[in-house]
Amino acid sequence: MIFRSIPTRLVFISLTLLSVFSILCAKKTSLCEKLEQSIQGRKHGFLAGNLAYYVGGFHASWELMEDETIGLTHPFYHDLRSRGVGLLNSQLPGSEHTGVGNDYRGWEFYKDTRVLYGSVIIRDKVYKNPKPTRMSWRPDKMICEYEINGVTIREEKFISSKDAAASIITSSEPITLRFEGHSFYVRHSVSSNASIRYDSSTNSILILEGGTVRSLPDPDRPERIGPCVYQGMTTALSSSKDFSKTLKLDQDDRGVWKYSFEIPCDSQGATVSWSMHDEQSIAKNTSRETSLLAPELLTEKTEEMNNILSQEIPQFRCSDSKFADIYYYLWSLHMMYYINVQKGWEMENHTQSAVNNFLGIHRYDACFQIKVGAWARDKQRFAYGNVLTWKHLVENGRYRETNDGHIFLSDNKGVGWHSGAYGGELAEHVLGAWQIYQHTGDRDFVRKCYQGYFRKVFWKNLVGFAMNDAEVGRALEKMAVISGNNSDVDHWKKLINQDPKHLRLMFDQRWEANGHKDYFMGGRDGMLMTTAFWAMGSKHFPREYAERLIHSWALNKELGFFGEFFPLAMAKKSMSLFNSADDQSFGYTPDTAYFTLDGIFRQGFPKIASDLTLNHLENYNFHKEWKIPVAPEAYRRDLALFGDQYSNFNAGKILLFIEGLAGLSYSIPDNVLHIKDSMPTNWEWMEFDIPIGNQNGWTQVRFERKKGFLGEKKKSITVSNCPLRVQFEPWLDQSELSRDPKLYGATFTEQNATHADYLSFLADKKSAKTSITLSFK
């Protein structure tokens, strides 16, 4: 009766709102589900929190060494207090002092830990450390399923927002679970002085970790013995089920504490949890809370990851869904690796490269990771830190300066250490920082980058990266003005020669060097690497050289860089001369692919660039047998997978979608969105949703090909909800126009296109919707 008294229209509205809410909820949860992939026997498990990580089982460079099992095999805490397993002070003098925590030992210390290895007891029979029948990975959790003697066991493993790892376990029949583990002691350990106790108030095992390890803080000096990375930290292990009566503790002759306990499990479920912290009270309370509230905390984790993947990054769809899967998979890894320590030289949120060997941000990898972060919505969270975290080394005098004024920073750093492996890719960081400014208009960010950092590093001399000197010089001039250092402009003009004749001479002098025909910067030793293509990223690179380089070396399957797919890291012509173990292992690498393909896009070869990009992505980042996206650190020359399994070394490929295939760039200060597409000719459509400026919604850009009524080919680009003026620079698809382009939504002025394969039109104002349609013969 109450239902009947409600007006029909109100019921309809309520049901409609409910339907909309259901659709929104479904969309919100779809990305983690969409990225779910079966990994048992293929990859180890990987989860990430902020300062906590989880590796389930262990693969040594894609070789299965240990299967995952019930419980929590290798959760570990890593706040970058150490590069490896030790906490020793460097003994190098002066500016070469690398601080406390640099270590060339124990980068994979987690593989020797045993935290909560589970066994199953069914009707008095013990099934020790069973391997999963099925194991699935998602950005928010891992799912393991076991079929044991007619019993189905399922667990969901995740890392909570408070950096606690948990496993929620259910069983189709009542069983007993036995868990075993030991205090911290790895292959580099020398001694242990750990202590252990049971805390009845939280139903937790508390281990005060401690001991010594063999460490190598200085690579050219002898190995030394010092404190382990977990010295003084507390490991807390808890469960939703009381295990006080089954707990067993035993200390071996090394001082290592071993523990075991049993808990019941049925369809109602049981949870085990792990946490680590410098403060014991935080460790035990976090672990206890996680064990009791695990389902709610898992829901929170899923919502967090879905929000990041659906709200914080540009959205992408296309007519071949395989490539969208690759796109979101690479983004998920990039975002999972973000870390916010708030100690020492780690005061900014930034991404990292890999979990396989050592965590932390890397100077070289940041060349493209900075630019990836520039496309995120919340740039203060996901972009600024990738640049500014390096400033700490400069402010603290931890750099190497040569006699001619070149300043070099280490390739990796942490809270109070840096690696001491110096290099000069920082010039590319300047261009990444400038792109962040273009995407924000944040002058304060520019001031922070320029003053006390870029100005200091490059003031006496500039070490360019891939011939980017002129672009970096121009960016430094603009940064000087924005930061209120106008008088610096003349200094940069004198230091960095941007005269077109000089730049042309620089390229001419390196063209066909050392007798390498149609090649750029070839070495005397005969080693021909993809670095020749990287220089094509400069707008000053002569296009006629680019065309010859591409056709003679990129597309050459006999002597060039086209192997089983594109690109090989080294030309086939050089392989007989350079055939070391490292040369074999790094046959194809993700960084070289990004820089190479980016150069081809920037030189304006849309057909070749898009074809080679798809060739690379579907061969490198999609496993043909498993039918899932992958992100290996490298492929061997024989195509065997190599290195890290979840490598953010692949982040540059994200830019190949956004800046390459779509050709998107925008500037808040200049009030313009520029679109210069290279949509693959075998795609019917692709679309991007881009977060621009402070808008809560999206700027939508859709590219579409279709046939007209008379059979003519058409291509349209439509932009909706853009807060900026739009400049269309559409690719002519290697076709001839049958009529003038049709423009909609604003008054457009024709511009000079970059070259003959494109047209260019600039809108006079922003508009809710603009489009251009090309018709071809």
Side-chain angles (χ1 to χ4, degrees):
M1 297 297 294
I2 297 176
F3 176 78
R4 289 179 183 175
S5 68
I6 301 175
T8 304
R9 184 180 178 187
L10 184 58
V11 173
F12 175 78
I13 293 173
S14 299
L15 291 173
T16 301
L17 290 174
L18 180 61
S19 299
V20 171
F21 177 77
S22 299
I23 292 170
L24 290 174
C25 289
K27 183 178 180 181
K28 187 176 182 181
T29 59
S30 65
L31 283 170
C32 280
E33 293 173 3
K34 184 177 177 60
L35 287 169
E36 184 173 322
Q37 54 180 241
S38 177
I39 63 170
Q40 173 56 25
R42 299 169 174 176
K43 297 193 277 187
H44 61 71
F46 170 58
L47 298 170
N50 179 31
L51 306 178
Y53 306 86
Y54 182 76
V55 173
F58 180 68
H59 283 64
S61 188
W62 295 85
E63 180 181 355
L64 176 61
M65 307 298 289
E66 176 194 49
D67 277 302
E68 173 67 312
T69 193
I70 288 177
L72 298 169
T73 53
H74 305 299
F76 65 102
Y77 185 93
H78 205 311
D79 64 354
L80 300 178
R81 64 183 63 193
S82 172
R83 190 187 189 201
V85 74
L87 286 171
L88 275 174
N89 196 12
S90 168
Q91 291 185 336
L92 292 173
S95 63
E96 294 295 315
H97 191 287
T98 57
V100 177
N102 185 38
D103 194 356
Y104 287 82
R105 292 282 185 269
W107 293 343
E108 299 173 329
F109 67 80
Y110 61 82
K111 67 186 179 185
D112 293 329
T113 62
R114 291 183 67 87
V115 179
L116 287 172
Y117 276 62
S119 297
V120 179
I121 303 173
I122 302 175
R123 293 180 285 276
D124 297 326
K125 184 174 181 180
V126 179
Y127 298 86
K128 188 173 179 63
N129 306 145
K131 71 178 183 180
T133 306
R134 293 171 294 277
M135 182 164 71
S136 299
W137 174 91
R138 297 167 30 149
D140 58 330
K141 65 182 178 181
M142 289 166 50
I143 304 168
C144 296
E145 296 177 304
Y146 308 81
E147 303 289 344
I148 304 173
N149 196 19
V151 178
T152 300
I153 303 168
R154 174 185 169 91
E155 52 174 352
E156 293 180 294
K157 309 186 188 195
F158 69 99
I159 296 179
S160 75
S161 60
K162 293 186 177 181
D163 277 334
S167 176
I168 304 172
I169 309 167
T170 56
S171 174
S172 62
E173 296 181 22
I175 59 173
T176 298
L177 298 174
R178 176 184 296 162
F179 294 99
E180 301 168 291
H182 62 69
S183 59
F184 184 77
Y185 199 91
V186 297
R187 67 190 63 192
H188 299 286
S189 292
V190 175
S191 67
S192 171
N193 59 5
S195 61
I196 193 169
R197 68 182 180 90
Y198 173 71
D199 184 74
S200 59
S201 66
T202 57
N203 187 39
S204 301
I205 299 171
L206 303 180
I207 307 168
L208 184 61
E209 305 283 9
T212 58
V213 294
R214 294 185 301 277
S215 186
L216 189 65
D218 306 313
D220 298 326
R221 298 200 175 192
E223 187 177 72
R224 295 154 55 202
I225 295 175
C228 72
V229 62
Y230 286 160
Q231 184 67 36
M233 294 191 70
T234 293
T235 297
L237 307 170
S238 303
S239 174
S240 59
K241 305 289 186 180
D242 179 61
F243 57 79
S244 59
K245 295 180 180 179
T246 62
L247 177 62
K248 296 179 181 178
L249 303 175
D250 180 57
Q251 188 177 31
D252 66 18
D253 55 8
R254 302 170 301 173
V256 178
W257 280 100
K258 298 180 180 180
Y259 48 84
S260 69
F261 62 86
E262 296 177 1
I263 59 172
C265 183
D266 55 23
S267 59
Q268 297 303 304
T271 298
V272 290
S273 59
W274 163 96
S275 179
M276 288 195 79
H277 204 276
D278 289 305
E279 295 185 31
Q280 188 169 99
S281 60
I282 294 178
K284 72 175 184 179
N285 291 334
T286 300
S287 185
R288 179 59 172 166
E289 177 187 271
T290 302
S291 67
L292 296 179
L293 300 176
E296 294 87 348
L297 293 173
L298 175 55
T299 298
E300 179 185 274
K301 178 72 172 191
T302 300
E303 290 177 348
E304 176 196 14
M305 288 307 304
N306 274 317
N307 182 69
I308 287 174
L309 294 174
S310 65
Q311 297 300 316
E312 292 292 343
I313 67 172
Q315 304 295 287
F316 168 66
R317 298 163 294 278
C318 69
S319 53
D320 190 336
S321 61
K322 170 176 58 182
F323 293 97
D325 292 344
I326 294 170
Y327 174 84
Y328 282 105
Y329 181 68
L330 297 181
W331 262 118
S332 72
L333 297 182
H334 179 80
M335 302 305 265
M336 286 174 72
Y337 275 116
Y338 271 84
I339 184 172
N340 193 3
V341 178
Q342 291 299 305
K343 292 180 184 177
W345 303 340
E346 287 290 327
M347 297 301 295
E348 295 81 17
N349 193 45
H350 62 74
T351 194
Q352 303 172 96
S353 285
V355 72
N356 183 59
N357 38 45
F358 49 92
L359 286 157
I361 194 166
H362 290 71
R363 183 195 63 240
Y364 170 72
D365 308 10
C367 290
F368 43 84
Q369 290 165 350
I370 289 170
K371 297 177 182 180
V372 172
W375 287 97
R377 185 186 298 275
D378 188 345
K379 294 172 181 60
Q380 289 193 7
R381 180 181 177 189
F382 296 117
Y384 290 11
N386 294 329
V387 181
L388 291 174
T389 189
W390 299 98
K391 185 175 181 178
H392 295 283
L393 296 181
V394 178
E395 291 178 326
N396 288 275
R398 301 306 175 99
Y399 54 82
R400 174 181 289 175
E401 184 171 359
T402 62
N403 292 333
D404 57 357
H406 288 113
I407 288 180
F408 298 96
L409 299 189
S410 288
D411 75 329
N412 189 217
K413 72 173 191 67
V415 170
W417 59 269
H418 64 101
S419 68
Y422 299 95
E425 299 93 5
L426 282 179
E428 192 71 6
H429 290 205
V430 175
L431 299 183
W434 185 250
Q435 184 172 6
I436 293 172
Y437 171 70
Q438 292 298 305
H439 288 192
T440 60
D442 189 339
R443 302 171 75 87
D444 186 55
F445 168 71
V446 171
R447 279 190 287 270
K448 290 178 180 178
C449 291
Y450 184 78
Q451 295 175 174
Y453 182 24
F454 291 157
R455 188 179 189 273
K456 168 72 174 179
V457 169
F458 301 113
W459 188 255
K460 296 179 182 178
N461 219 324
L462 172 72
V463 180
F465 176 79
M467 303 296 290
N468 67 3
D469 304 52
E471 286 87 347
V472 174
R474 185 68 183 123
L476 289 171
E477 291 173 22
K478 294 176 181 178
M479 287 183 174
V481 173
I482 290 170
S483 61
N485 295 275
N486 299 56
S487 60
D488 289 355
V489 173
D490 287 340
H491 171 81
W492 296 122
K493 289 183 180 295
K494 292 176 182 177
L495 181 70
I496 306 164
N497 192 336
Q498 299 177 45
D499 179 74
K501 292 181 179 179
H502 168 76
L503 295 175
R504 178 64 194 229
L505 178 63
M506 295 291 288
F507 288 105
D508 288 346
Q509 289 174 336
R510 291 160 176 78
W511 180 248
E512 296 188 333
N514 296 305
H516 300 292
K517 184 174 174 56
D518 293 337
Y519 192 78
F520 185 71
M521 284 200 309
R524 295 177 181 176
D525 60 0
M527 180 182 284
L528 305 182
M529 306 294 285
T530 58
T531 47
F533 296 91
W534 304 7
M536 287 164 40
S538 170
K539 66 179 181 181
H540 303 289
F541 193 94
R543 194 168 188 274
E544 63 270 26
Y545 290 172
E547 186 168 14
R548 289 164 61 184
L549 177 61
I550 290 168
H551 284 89
S552 296
W553 293 99
L555 304 179
N556 188 330
K557 295 184 178 182
E558 295 181 6
L559 299 175
F561 292 91
F562 205 124
E564 294 299 317
F565 59 92
F566 184 82
L568 283 159
M570 182 186 296
K572 289 183 178 180
K573 183 178 180 180
S574 301
M575 287 185 178
S576 60
L577 300 173
F578 303 94
N579 200 29
S580 69
D582 283 346
D583 293 330
Q584 288 286 342
S585 296
F586 294 94
Y588 302 82
T589 59
D591 58 313
T592 57
Y594 161 67
F595 286 120
T596 299
L597 290 163
D598 178 66
I600 299 174
F601 276 117
R602 289 182 185 275
Q603 285 297 314
F605 294 89
K607 172 64 173 172
I608 294 173
S610 59
D611 284 352
L612 291 179
T613 296
L614 296 196
N615 171 269
H616 175 82
L617 291 170
E618 66 183 353
N619 284 281
Y620 194 105
N621 293 112
F622 195 84
H623 198 286
K624 293 182 178 179
E625 180 182 347
W626 302 341
K627 305 297 183 185
I628 60 173
V630 292
E633 181 180 352
Y635 282 82
R636 291 175 49 85
R637 286 180 180 174
D638 62 9
L639 295 186
L641 293 157
F642 181 79
D644 186 62
Q645 296 185 335
Y646 298 86
S647 178
N648 197 26
F649 210 23
N650 286 270
K653 275 60 151 331
I654 295 169
L655 301 173
L656 296 180
F657 285 93
I658 301 171
E659 299 177 3
L661 299 179
L664 299 178
S665 62
Y666 69 92
S667 172
I668 298 292
D670 294 338
N671 188 35
V672 65
L673 167 68
H674 185 200
I675 306 169
K676 180 183 176 182
D677 79 289
S678 300
M679 182 167 71
T681 53
N682 61 337
W683 285 8
E684 297 175 356
W685 60 272
M686 66 179 182
E687 56 187 12
F688 290 82
D689 300 337
I690 307 295
I692 294 180
N694 295 320
Q695 67 176 166
N696 293 321
W698 304 93
T699 292
Q700 291 105 25
V701 184
R702 180 177 174 86
F703 308 78
E704 187 172 11
R705 290 191 182 96
K706 57 184 179 181
K707 285 188 176 181
F709 291 114
L710 301 177
E712 62 183 353
K713 296 182 296 181
K714 291 178 177 287
K715 183 172 80 172
S716 63
I717 305 174
T718 304
V719 180
S720 305
N721 196 35
C722 183
L724 310 173
R725 294 184 302 157
V726 175
Q727 181 175 0
F728 290 114
E729 192 168 355
W731 174 33
L732 295 176
D733 286 6
Q734 296 182 314
S735 300
E736 185 178 347
L737 289 175
S738 60
R739 66 185 73 178
D740 290 338
K742 181 180 180 181
L743 293 150
Y744 168 83
T747 300
F748 286 85
T749 303
E750 188 167 1
Q751 308 286 303
N752 291 325
T754 3
H755 51 82
D757 289 337
Y758 290 87
L759 299 174
S760 183
F761 299 91
L762 176 63
D764 64 336
K765 62 180 181 179
K766 67 179 182 179
S767 179
K769 186 173 183 178
T770 56
S771 67
I772 184 170
T773 300
L774 305 180
S775 299
F776 303 109
K777 294 181 179 178

